[in-house]
Amino acid sequence: MAAARESVAETTARLSAARGDDPAELIEILHDIQQEIGMVPEEAQRVLAARLNLTRAEVHGVTSFYHDFRAQPAGRVVVKMCAAEACQSVGGAALISAICRSVGAALGETSPSGVTLEPIYCLGACACAPAAEVNGKLHARLTVEKLEAAIGAAAT
Ligand code: FES
């Protein structure tokens, strides 16, 4: 666990060193950073690039490719909405649109009330589509009303 006064650069350096400053461990180090800081800020990417002897573009390429890495802190409720085919075939797109309107944020954004909406591409619950995850808990066979209720419960 990081000391409370540790800077982003110090945290990044410590976590990178713990994995031997090995470029092959880039994704694992990024996960470690996000777990401790709650996001992967620009400063962390800069420090990591220098320590791993990678370009900033290489590090940024990885953080922007994988949806799990956030450049901004998440809200207190994180909703991962499945945007893959099985869910889309049973109304997933309409569900996503309705929840975006209801929450007041687009996918990839956090609402003023602290709900972060993120796309995910299959939660392994295709037989029970459409599905979403709310703060790590799977919800399936969703309707707009069911998902709104799950979000409301997670926010309290
Ligand atoms: S496609 Fe949505 S859970 Fe698999």
Side-chain angles (χ1 to χ4, degrees):
M1 183 70 186
R5 292 177 298 261
E6 194 174 61
S7 69
V8 167
E10 290 166 340
T11 299
T12 302
R14 174 174 52 78
L15 294 173
S16 181
R19 291 188 182 269
D21 288 321
D22 182 353
E25 295 285 313
L26 174 59
I27 291 177
E28 295 307 317
I29 297 167
L30 290 168
H31 278 297
D32 293 344
I33 292 168
Q34 179 151 300
Q35 184 162 353
E36 284 215 12
I37 301 175
M39 58 190 278
V40 182
E42 181 64 33
E43 172 74 358
Q45 294 183 41
R46 184 185 63 72
V47 171
L48 201 50
R51 290 189 72 96
L52 302 185
N53 198 24
L54 297 170
T55 66
R56 289 176 68 178
E58 286 172 317
V59 175
H60 180 72
V62 171
T63 60
S64 58
F65 181 80
Y66 292 101
H67 294 284
D68 275 352
F69 297 126
R70 300 185 184 95
Q72 306 293 327
R76 68 183 189 282
V77 179
V78 177
V79 183
K80 295 187 177 189
M81 303 201 62
C82 184
E85 289 178 11
C87 287
Q88 296 302 293
S89 71
V90 290
L95 176 66
I96 289 172
S97 295
I99 292 300
C100 286
R101 280 194 303 276
S102 169
V103 166
L107 280 185
E109 294 180 350
T110 299
S111 73
S113 62
V115 178
T116 299
L117 298 180
E118 297 179 338
I120 193 164
Y121 298 92
C122 194
L123 288 159
C126 311
C128 304
E133 202 178 81
V134 180
N135 281 357
K137 183 178 177 194
L138 179 67
H139 296 266
R141 291 194 169 90
L142 282 169
T143 62
V144 173
E145 293 75 20
K146 283 182 177 177
L147 187 49
E148 285 176 337
I151 293 169
T156 58

